[in-house]
Short mmCIF file of all heavy atoms in Angstrom, two decimals:
data_model
loop_
_atom_site.label_atom_id
_atom_site.label_comp_id
_atom_site.label_asym_id
_atom_site.label_seq_id
_atom_site.Cartn_x
_atom_site.Cartn_y
_atom_site.Cartn_z
N MET A 803 123.97 156.17 250.93
CA MET A 803 123.44 155.12 251.74
C MET A 803 123.48 153.75 251.23
O MET A 803 122.96 153.46 250.22
CB MET A 803 122.00 155.50 252.22
CG MET A 803 121.44 154.67 253.46
SD MET A 803 120.06 155.47 254.16
CE MET A 803 118.86 155.33 252.81
N ARG A 804 124.24 152.78 251.87
CA ARG A 804 124.38 151.57 251.38
C ARG A 804 123.10 150.64 251.74
O ARG A 804 122.59 150.70 252.81
CB ARG A 804 125.57 150.75 251.96
CG ARG A 804 126.86 151.55 251.51
CD ARG A 804 128.01 150.66 251.98
NE ARG A 804 128.02 150.41 253.44
CZ ARG A 804 128.41 149.23 254.04
NH1 ARG A 804 128.86 148.33 253.20
NH2 ARG A 804 128.28 149.26 255.35
N THR A 805 122.58 150.06 250.77
CA THR A 805 121.52 149.14 250.94
C THR A 805 121.85 147.81 250.36
O THR A 805 122.69 147.64 249.42
CB THR A 805 120.17 149.66 250.38
OG1 THR A 805 120.37 149.73 248.86
CG2 THR A 805 119.77 151.01 251.01
N ALA A 806 121.00 146.76 250.79
CA ALA A 806 121.19 145.40 250.21
C ALA A 806 119.86 144.77 250.42
O ALA A 806 119.04 145.31 251.27
CB ALA A 806 122.26 144.58 250.89
N SER A 807 119.61 143.73 249.73
CA SER A 807 118.31 142.98 249.82
C SER A 807 118.26 142.38 251.23
O SER A 807 119.30 141.64 251.53
CB SER A 807 118.20 142.01 248.78
OG SER A 807 118.07 142.70 247.46
N CYS A 808 117.25 142.43 251.88
CA CYS A 808 117.03 141.82 253.11
C CYS A 808 117.09 140.28 252.90
O CYS A 808 116.35 139.80 252.05
CB CYS A 808 115.70 142.24 253.76
SG CYS A 808 115.27 141.31 255.15
N PRO A 809 117.92 139.48 253.60
CA PRO A 809 118.02 138.19 253.46
C PRO A 809 116.72 137.47 253.68
O PRO A 809 116.45 136.31 253.30
CB PRO A 809 119.09 137.78 254.43
CG PRO A 809 119.85 138.88 254.81
CD PRO A 809 118.87 140.05 254.76
N GLN A 810 115.84 138.06 254.48
CA GLN A 810 114.62 137.39 254.78
C GLN A 810 113.44 137.74 253.80
O GLN A 810 112.90 136.80 253.39
CB GLN A 810 114.15 137.87 256.25
CG GLN A 810 112.94 137.24 256.70
CD GLN A 810 113.07 135.70 256.75
OE1 GLN A 810 114.14 135.13 257.10
NE2 GLN A 810 112.04 135.01 256.24
N CYS A 811 113.21 138.92 253.47
CA CYS A 811 112.16 139.31 252.68
C CYS A 811 112.43 139.85 251.36
O CYS A 811 111.61 140.07 250.50
CB CYS A 811 111.21 140.38 253.45
SG CYS A 811 111.90 141.93 253.65
N GLY A 812 113.80 140.16 251.18
CA GLY A 812 114.28 140.66 249.76
C GLY A 812 114.00 142.18 249.67
O GLY A 812 114.33 142.72 248.65
N GLN A 813 113.34 142.88 250.69
CA GLN A 813 113.13 144.36 250.63
C GLN A 813 114.49 144.97 250.82
O GLN A 813 115.33 144.50 251.43
CB GLN A 813 112.13 144.77 251.60
CG GLN A 813 110.86 144.21 251.44
CD GLN A 813 110.12 144.72 250.10
OE1 GLN A 813 110.13 146.00 249.80
NE2 GLN A 813 109.61 143.78 249.34
N PRO A 814 114.70 146.16 250.28
CA PRO A 814 115.85 146.91 250.51
C PRO A 814 116.13 147.10 252.03
O PRO A 814 115.21 147.47 252.75
CB PRO A 814 115.62 148.20 249.76
CG PRO A 814 114.61 147.97 248.75
CD PRO A 814 113.71 146.97 249.35
N SER A 815 117.28 146.77 252.41
CA SER A 815 117.74 146.94 253.80
C SER A 815 118.82 147.95 253.92
O SER A 815 119.83 147.83 253.02
CB SER A 815 118.09 145.45 254.27
OG SER A 815 118.74 145.67 255.54
N VAL A 816 118.86 148.78 254.84
CA VAL A 816 119.91 149.81 254.95
C VAL A 816 121.03 149.23 255.75
O VAL A 816 120.85 148.88 256.85
CB VAL A 816 119.33 151.00 255.68
CG1 VAL A 816 120.41 152.12 255.81
CG2 VAL A 816 118.20 151.71 254.92
N LEU A 817 122.19 149.19 255.20
CA LEU A 817 123.45 148.78 255.80
C LEU A 817 124.12 149.82 256.47
O LEU A 817 125.27 150.07 256.11
CB LEU A 817 124.18 148.06 254.80
CG LEU A 817 123.75 146.79 254.05
CD1 LEU A 817 124.55 146.17 253.17
CD2 LEU A 817 123.23 145.81 255.10
N GLU A 818 123.52 150.40 257.53
CA GLU A 818 124.19 151.45 258.14
C GLU A 818 123.95 151.28 259.67
O GLU A 818 123.06 150.65 260.12
CB GLU A 818 123.55 152.89 257.83
CG GLU A 818 123.76 153.14 256.30
CD GLU A 818 125.27 153.60 255.96
OE1 GLU A 818 125.84 153.95 256.88
OE2 GLU A 818 125.54 153.66 254.74
N PRO A 819 124.78 151.91 260.46
CA PRO A 819 124.61 151.80 261.93
C PRO A 819 123.14 152.27 262.46
O PRO A 819 122.70 151.86 263.54
CB PRO A 819 125.67 152.76 262.53
CG PRO A 819 126.74 152.79 261.55
CD PRO A 819 125.91 152.72 260.23
N SER A 820 122.54 153.01 261.58
CA SER A 820 121.15 153.46 261.91
C SER A 820 120.15 152.34 262.01
O SER A 820 119.17 152.42 262.43
CB SER A 820 120.72 154.59 261.08
OG SER A 820 120.72 154.15 259.71
N ASN A 821 120.56 151.24 261.33
CA ASN A 821 119.75 150.16 261.16
C ASN A 821 120.26 149.00 262.04
O ASN A 821 121.07 148.26 261.69
CB ASN A 821 119.65 149.60 259.63
CG ASN A 821 118.79 148.27 259.61
OD1 ASN A 821 118.07 147.96 260.52
ND2 ASN A 821 118.80 147.68 258.38
N PRO A 822 119.77 148.84 263.17
CA PRO A 822 120.21 147.91 264.23
C PRO A 822 119.96 146.46 263.63
O PRO A 822 120.55 145.50 264.35
CB PRO A 822 119.49 148.17 265.48
CG PRO A 822 118.21 148.84 265.08
CD PRO A 822 118.65 149.55 263.82
N TRP A 823 119.10 146.31 262.75
CA TRP A 823 118.74 145.00 262.37
C TRP A 823 119.47 144.55 261.17
O TRP A 823 119.22 143.38 260.63
CB TRP A 823 117.27 144.90 261.98
CG TRP A 823 116.32 145.61 263.06
CD1 TRP A 823 115.67 146.72 263.02
CD2 TRP A 823 116.36 145.24 264.40
NE1 TRP A 823 115.16 147.05 264.02
CE2 TRP A 823 115.45 146.22 265.06
CE3 TRP A 823 116.85 144.13 265.18
CZ2 TRP A 823 115.24 146.10 266.40
CZ3 TRP A 823 116.55 144.21 266.58
CH2 TRP A 823 115.71 145.07 267.15
N ARG A 824 120.44 145.33 260.63
CA ARG A 824 121.14 144.88 259.35
C ARG A 824 121.82 143.59 259.49
O ARG A 824 122.18 143.29 260.70
CB ARG A 824 122.11 146.08 258.98
CG ARG A 824 123.30 146.16 259.97
CD ARG A 824 124.07 147.53 259.70
NE ARG A 824 125.23 147.56 260.54
CZ ARG A 824 125.36 148.00 261.71
NH1 ARG A 824 124.14 148.39 262.30
NH2 ARG A 824 126.49 148.13 262.46
N PRO A 825 121.94 142.80 258.53
CA PRO A 825 121.63 143.01 257.24
C PRO A 825 120.10 142.93 256.98
O PRO A 825 119.68 143.00 255.77
CB PRO A 825 122.26 142.06 256.45
CG PRO A 825 122.32 140.80 257.38
CD PRO A 825 122.40 141.41 258.86
N PHE A 826 119.28 142.69 258.03
CA PHE A 826 117.78 142.60 257.69
C PHE A 826 117.29 144.04 257.76
O PHE A 826 117.85 144.86 258.19
CB PHE A 826 117.14 141.78 258.83
CG PHE A 826 117.66 140.30 258.95
CD1 PHE A 826 118.78 140.16 259.88
CD2 PHE A 826 117.30 139.40 258.04
CE1 PHE A 826 119.42 138.80 259.97
CE2 PHE A 826 117.93 138.23 258.15
CZ PHE A 826 118.83 137.91 259.08
N CYS A 827 116.00 144.04 257.19
CA CYS A 827 115.46 145.42 257.07
C CYS A 827 114.70 145.84 258.26
O CYS A 827 114.39 146.98 258.39
CB CYS A 827 114.48 145.38 255.81
SG CYS A 827 112.97 144.40 256.08
N SER A 828 114.39 144.86 259.10
CA SER A 828 113.59 145.15 260.33
C SER A 828 113.77 144.14 261.25
O SER A 828 114.19 143.06 261.20
CB SER A 828 112.16 145.17 259.91
OG SER A 828 111.72 143.96 259.51
N GLU A 829 113.32 144.47 262.62
CA GLU A 829 113.24 143.50 263.71
C GLU A 829 112.60 142.28 263.34
O GLU A 829 113.03 141.18 263.61
CB GLU A 829 112.71 144.25 264.84
CG GLU A 829 112.66 143.35 266.13
CD GLU A 829 111.98 144.09 267.26
OE1 GLU A 829 111.56 145.17 267.04
OE2 GLU A 829 112.15 143.45 268.51
N ARG A 830 111.50 142.40 262.73
CA ARG A 830 110.69 141.24 262.36
C ARG A 830 111.44 140.19 261.39
O ARG A 830 111.51 138.99 261.74
CB ARG A 830 109.40 141.66 261.54
CG ARG A 830 108.47 140.59 261.20
CD ARG A 830 107.23 141.19 260.50
NE ARG A 830 107.44 141.81 259.35
CZ ARG A 830 107.58 141.15 258.12
NH1 ARG A 830 107.38 139.89 258.05
NH2 ARG A 830 107.86 141.74 257.10
N CYS A 831 112.23 140.79 260.38
CA CYS A 831 112.84 139.84 259.63
C CYS A 831 114.01 139.24 260.31
O CYS A 831 114.24 138.04 260.17
CB CYS A 831 113.36 140.70 258.31
SG CYS A 831 112.13 140.92 257.21
N LYS A 832 114.71 139.97 261.20
CA LYS A 832 115.74 139.37 261.93
C LYS A 832 115.30 138.25 262.80
O LYS A 832 115.84 137.11 262.79
CB LYS A 832 116.42 140.32 262.86
CG LYS A 832 117.61 139.97 263.66
CD LYS A 832 118.17 140.97 264.55
CE LYS A 832 119.28 140.46 265.42
NZ LYS A 832 120.55 140.50 264.57
N PHE A 833 114.11 138.36 263.48
CA PHE A 833 113.68 137.40 264.48
C PHE A 833 113.06 136.17 263.59
O PHE A 833 113.10 135.05 264.03
CB PHE A 833 112.71 137.90 265.49
CG PHE A 833 113.52 138.60 266.47
CD1 PHE A 833 113.55 140.01 266.59
CD2 PHE A 833 114.32 137.97 267.38
CE1 PHE A 833 114.21 140.64 267.52
CE2 PHE A 833 115.06 138.54 268.33
CZ PHE A 833 115.01 139.94 268.42
N VAL A 834 112.43 136.49 262.39
CA VAL A 834 111.93 135.43 261.61
C VAL A 834 113.18 134.51 261.17
O VAL A 834 113.03 133.33 261.33
CB VAL A 834 111.24 136.06 260.47
CG1 VAL A 834 110.96 134.81 259.36
CG2 VAL A 834 109.88 136.58 260.82
N ASP A 835 114.16 135.12 260.89
CA ASP A 835 115.47 134.45 260.52
C ASP A 835 116.00 133.59 261.67
O ASP A 835 116.22 132.43 261.45
CB ASP A 835 116.43 135.30 259.98
CG ASP A 835 117.52 134.64 259.22
OD1 ASP A 835 117.38 134.07 258.15
OD2 ASP A 835 118.65 134.50 259.78
N LEU A 836 115.97 134.17 262.76
CA LEU A 836 116.47 133.38 264.00
C LEU A 836 115.60 132.27 264.26
O LEU A 836 115.98 131.23 264.63
CB LEU A 836 116.55 134.44 265.20
CG LEU A 836 117.72 135.27 265.29
CD1 LEU A 836 117.62 136.26 266.42
CD2 LEU A 836 119.00 134.50 265.32
N ASP A 837 114.25 132.62 264.07
CA ASP A 837 113.37 131.45 264.33
C ASP A 837 113.46 130.22 263.36
O ASP A 837 113.44 129.00 263.71
CB ASP A 837 111.91 132.06 264.22
CG ASP A 837 110.92 130.96 264.66
OD1 ASP A 837 110.95 130.46 265.79
OD2 ASP A 837 109.92 130.71 263.82
N GLY A 838 113.88 130.58 262.18
CA GLY A 838 114.17 129.60 261.24
C GLY A 838 115.40 128.77 261.64
O GLY A 838 115.37 127.52 261.54
N TRP A 839 116.34 129.34 262.18
CA TRP A 839 117.55 128.65 262.67
C TRP A 839 117.10 127.64 263.86
O TRP A 839 117.35 126.57 263.90
CB TRP A 839 118.65 129.57 263.24
CG TRP A 839 119.45 130.12 262.10
CD1 TRP A 839 119.30 131.38 261.62
CD2 TRP A 839 120.50 129.44 261.38
NE1 TRP A 839 120.22 131.53 260.57
CE2 TRP A 839 120.95 130.42 260.39
CE3 TRP A 839 121.08 128.22 261.37
CZ2 TRP A 839 121.93 130.08 259.51
CZ3 TRP A 839 122.06 127.98 260.49
CH2 TRP A 839 122.54 128.90 259.72
N PHE A 840 116.36 128.30 264.89
CA PHE A 840 116.02 127.53 266.03
C PHE A 840 115.02 126.33 265.71
O PHE A 840 115.05 125.34 266.36
CB PHE A 840 115.43 128.36 267.12
CG PHE A 840 116.44 129.36 267.66
CD1 PHE A 840 116.12 130.70 267.89
CD2 PHE A 840 117.70 128.82 268.12
CE1 PHE A 840 117.10 131.54 268.48
CE2 PHE A 840 118.62 129.71 268.67
CZ PHE A 840 118.29 131.04 268.86
N THR A 841 114.29 126.44 264.65
CA THR A 841 113.37 125.34 264.40
C THR A 841 113.91 124.34 263.46
O THR A 841 113.21 123.54 262.94
CB THR A 841 112.02 126.05 263.85
OG1 THR A 841 112.18 126.80 262.65
CG2 THR A 841 111.36 126.87 264.91
N GLY A 842 115.16 124.66 262.95
CA GLY A 842 115.73 123.69 262.13
C GLY A 842 115.32 123.83 260.63
O GLY A 842 115.56 122.93 259.92
N ARG A 843 114.73 124.99 260.33
CA ARG A 843 114.41 125.24 258.91
C ARG A 843 115.70 125.21 258.07
O ARG A 843 115.72 124.76 256.93
CB ARG A 843 113.68 126.48 258.67
CG ARG A 843 113.18 126.71 257.36
CD ARG A 843 111.96 127.67 257.28
NE ARG A 843 112.19 128.91 258.00
CZ ARG A 843 112.72 129.98 257.48
NH1 ARG A 843 113.09 130.05 256.17
NH2 ARG A 843 112.77 131.15 258.06
N TYR A 844 116.81 125.74 258.69
CA TYR A 844 117.98 125.64 257.95
C TYR A 844 118.83 124.55 258.67
O TYR A 844 118.78 124.38 259.77
CB TYR A 844 118.75 127.03 258.06
CG TYR A 844 117.95 128.22 257.60
CD1 TYR A 844 117.54 129.29 258.54
CD2 TYR A 844 117.58 128.39 256.36
CE1 TYR A 844 116.81 130.39 258.05
CE2 TYR A 844 116.93 129.34 255.95
CZ TYR A 844 116.60 130.42 256.77
OH TYR A 844 115.84 131.46 256.22
N THR A 845 119.65 124.01 257.90
CA THR A 845 120.57 123.02 258.53
C THR A 845 122.00 123.39 258.33
O THR A 845 122.31 123.95 257.13
CB THR A 845 120.39 121.60 257.87
OG1 THR A 845 120.42 121.78 256.45
CG2 THR A 845 118.97 121.17 258.13
N ILE A 846 122.77 123.35 259.34
CA ILE A 846 124.24 123.65 259.20
C ILE A 846 124.99 122.42 258.71
O ILE A 846 124.86 121.39 259.35
CB ILE A 846 124.68 124.14 260.48
CG1 ILE A 846 123.88 125.30 260.94
CG2 ILE A 846 126.18 124.50 260.42
CD1 ILE A 846 124.24 125.67 262.44
N PRO A 847 125.60 122.51 257.54
CA PRO A 847 126.31 121.32 257.14
C PRO A 847 127.34 120.89 258.19
O PRO A 847 128.19 121.67 258.61
CB PRO A 847 127.06 121.71 255.94
CG PRO A 847 126.28 123.19 255.53
CD PRO A 847 125.78 123.62 256.75
N GLY A 848 127.34 119.68 258.50
CA GLY A 848 128.21 119.21 259.62
C GLY A 848 129.51 118.73 258.87
O GLY A 848 129.60 118.95 257.66
N PRO A 849 130.33 118.11 259.56
CA PRO A 849 131.49 117.54 258.95
C PRO A 849 131.21 116.61 257.89
O PRO A 849 130.16 115.77 258.08
CB PRO A 849 132.34 116.89 260.13
CG PRO A 849 131.74 117.42 261.32
CD PRO A 849 130.34 117.90 261.06
N GLU A 850 131.89 116.56 256.85
CA GLU A 850 131.59 115.51 255.75
C GLU A 850 131.66 114.06 256.34
O GLU A 850 132.62 113.77 257.07
CB GLU A 850 132.39 115.71 254.61
CG GLU A 850 132.16 116.92 253.80
CD GLU A 850 132.68 116.87 252.38
OE1 GLU A 850 132.89 115.79 252.02
OE2 GLU A 850 132.73 117.88 251.71
N GLN A 851 130.66 113.35 255.94
CA GLN A 851 130.71 111.99 256.37
C GLN A 851 131.94 111.23 255.68
O GLN A 851 131.93 111.30 254.41
CB GLN A 851 129.45 111.25 256.08
CG GLN A 851 128.26 111.71 256.79
CD GLN A 851 128.03 111.10 258.03
OE1 GLN A 851 128.50 110.04 258.23
NE2 GLN A 851 127.44 111.76 259.02
N MET A 852 132.70 110.47 256.46
CA MET A 852 133.61 109.60 255.81
C MET A 852 133.14 108.52 254.97
O MET A 852 132.08 107.84 255.55
CB MET A 852 134.76 109.10 256.79
CG MET A 852 135.50 110.22 257.47
SD MET A 852 136.62 111.13 256.39
CE MET A 852 137.67 109.87 255.96
N PRO A 853 133.54 108.32 253.83
CA PRO A 853 132.93 107.19 253.10
C PRO A 853 133.21 105.86 253.80
O PRO A 853 134.38 105.79 254.42
CB PRO A 853 133.52 107.28 251.67
CG PRO A 853 134.80 108.06 251.90
CD PRO A 853 134.60 108.93 253.07
N PRO A 854 132.47 104.93 253.63
CA PRO A 854 132.79 103.57 254.34
C PRO A 854 134.10 103.10 253.74
O PRO A 854 134.44 103.16 252.61
CB PRO A 854 131.66 102.69 253.77
CG PRO A 854 130.59 103.58 253.43
CD PRO A 854 131.18 104.80 252.94
N ASP A 855 134.93 102.53 254.63
CA ASP A 855 136.22 102.09 254.20
C ASP A 855 136.14 100.72 253.56
O ASP A 855 136.02 99.69 254.10
CB ASP A 855 137.12 101.86 255.47
CG ASP A 855 138.60 101.59 255.08
OD1 ASP A 855 138.95 101.71 253.72
OD2 ASP A 855 139.37 101.36 255.98
N GLU A 856 135.85 100.89 252.16
CA GLU A 856 135.63 99.62 251.37
C GLU A 856 136.96 99.02 250.80
O GLU A 856 137.00 98.02 250.27
CB GLU A 856 134.81 99.93 250.23
CG GLU A 856 133.37 100.33 250.74
CD GLU A 856 132.60 100.86 249.58
OE1 GLU A 856 133.10 100.88 248.46
OE2 GLU A 856 131.28 101.09 249.75
N ASP A 857 138.09 99.95 251.03
CA ASP A 857 139.22 99.45 250.34
C ASP A 857 140.13 98.82 251.40
O ASP A 857 140.75 99.40 252.24
CB ASP A 857 140.10 100.72 249.83
CG ASP A 857 141.16 100.31 248.96
OD1 ASP A 857 141.35 99.13 248.60
OD2 ASP A 857 141.93 101.31 248.64
N GLU A 858 140.09 97.44 251.52
CA GLU A 858 140.69 96.82 252.57
C GLU A 858 142.14 96.26 252.25
O GLU A 858 142.63 95.31 252.76
CB GLU A 858 139.92 95.48 253.00
CG GLU A 858 138.51 95.91 253.51
CD GLU A 858 138.62 96.45 254.86
OE1 GLU A 858 139.63 96.18 255.53
OE2 GLU A 858 137.65 97.10 255.42
N HIS A 859 142.78 96.85 251.26
CA HIS A 859 144.05 96.35 250.88
C HIS A 859 145.06 96.64 251.96
O HIS A 859 145.53 97.88 252.07
CB HIS A 859 144.55 97.00 249.51
CG HIS A 859 143.59 96.65 248.41
ND1 HIS A 859 143.43 95.46 248.08
CD2 HIS A 859 142.83 97.51 247.64
CE1 HIS A 859 142.59 95.44 247.04
NE2 HIS A 859 142.19 96.63 246.83
ZN1 ZN B 1334 113.25 142.14 255.60
#
């Protein structure tokens, strides 16, 4: 049985079809993680800001 650390709580999580919440260990962890996304706890890196065009040659 393949397991990995739950990204949310670090507990062993089963990476099998029997675990509908994989890679999370449980529904709770999955939704906690989603909540983090929705509330902006995580930020998605946007396109890199172009540096100011200081070179006017
Ligand atoms: Zn977990």
Side-chain angles (χ1 to χ4, degrees):
M803 187 163 65
R804 294 187 305 145
T805 61
S807 295
C808 172
Q810 182 59 40
C811 71
Q813 296 295 312
S815 169
V816 179
L817 298 179
E818 297 288 344
S820 61
N821 175 13
W823 316 115
R824 67 188 186 282
F826 302 97
C827 68
S828 66
E829 179 179 10
R830 183 176 62 88
C831 284
K832 184 183 177 77
F833 284 109
V834 167
D835 191 71
L836 283 175
D837 187 57
W839 281 101
F840 288 135
T841 57
R843 182 157 54 88
Y844 303 119
T845 55
I846 302 171
E850 289 200 17
Q851 295 276 332
M852 293 296 291
D855 188 7
E856 296 173 353
D857 190 12
E858 297 285 345
H859 299 301

